[in-house]
Amino acid sequence: MSVVFIAGAVWLFLFSIMLMVEAINSFGFSLADYVINTTANPFIGLFIGLLATALFQSSSTSTTITVAAVASGTLSLQGAIPIILGANIGTTLTSTIVSMGYITKANEFRKAVAAGTIHDLFNILLVVFFFPIEMRYHVLENGSKFIASLLVPQSDFLLTPNISVFPNFEEIASWLVFYLGALGTLILAGLLLFACIKLISRLLYDILIGGTKKKFTTAIFSSTIRSFGWGLFITSVAQSSSLTTSLIVPLVATGKVKLKRAFQFVMGANIGTTITALLAAVFQTKVAIEVALVHLLFNLLGVLLFLSIPFLSRLVIFLADKMGQYTLRIRLIGLAYIVITFFLLPFTLIYISEGFEKKAEAHEISTEK
């Protein structure tokens, strides 16, 4: 029954992507112009990705929506990249919130916070390193285009689903847009997408982990390769890094897993979470595939960087451990960290960036006059 449910959820997941593309197309050029103008500033795109993912509690959802927006032509590849990078930070909120559940247990709280924030710090450092490089040299953009050209040589190539998989899709989509409107259809597609990802994650989690929790630590965290490999595998199958990285918080808090092994697991999970966007891009345009490849390439290069330079790995572990120590001394630090990093800072910087843009536009108009 679980396999049947998973197969049905995957079918609905792909259907929701196509429905989302159809709904976005129904808005016309006004929405496309607004999105393109908004994401023209890469800093705004970065913080939109962070904020949206923090609210969704799922990078799979936000990156999949980004793929759908690109597939519809509403969002450009260049505008989508900062959103993808921001989503990588936003998805780490879940494990940090889970660690706050140990606030009344002094012996376990420090380790729990260290385990919860190690995912945050890893992705924040990745973005700090890659974001300016991408803005200057477009490494991820050019790299994804090159890989996509090898996979899909034709520039105008469009993968189309078999008619037997999605029978009468155009009629269903047209009917929904007619009765619900473009916005209503988009909301329905978004809710369906979110529900499918959560359902798939929960079902696969129960299958993979459900009856083997006692064997989990010895089987997965016994070596570096196993920690990394299982992090990649479980997250690839479960399609949720939030779920799998939250899983290690209680293990580290209770001393069953060392922080170093947890970090290796997190690095594997960071690559595994890119599978959802790749799946979403399967039946879409070539540029949508390029967006999914950006997500994969970014996380893959980040992991290679941290594995090849041991100092960086030690730095993340050190910072996470210090975060645990300071939060244990002053409990409000944990709450302040969550509010500022995932909500207050993105809101403030988006507001400031938009203010600067409006002033610049006003200055240009006055200069022309």
Side-chain angles (χ1 to χ4, degrees), residues 132 174 282:
S174 299
V282 167

Side-chain angles (χ1 to χ4, degrees), residues 4 18 40 43 81 120 141 166 189 215 235 258 264 345 349:
V4 171
M18 297 177 66
F43 288 98
I81 291 174
D120 312 1
E141 182 181 353
F166 297 101
K215 298 179 181 178
T235 309
K258 292 182 179 179
Q264 293 157 356
L345 186 63
L349 292 175

Side-chain angles (χ1 to χ4, degrees), residues 134-154:
E134 178 60 25
M135 294 304 100
R136 178 67 179 84
Y137 299 105
H138 306 289
V139 175
L140 298 175
E141 182 181 353
N142 295 329
S144 66
K145 285 181 178 179
F146 174 73
I147 297 172
S149 67
L150 298 177
L151 298 174
V152 188
Q154 298 88 342

Side-chain angles (χ1 to χ4, degrees), residues 70-93:
V70 171
S72 68
T74 303
L75 182 63
S76 66
L77 173 62
Q78 199 170 52
I81 291 174
I83 297 175
I84 297 293
L85 268 58
N88 251 43
I89 298 175
T91 191
T92 64
L93 172 62

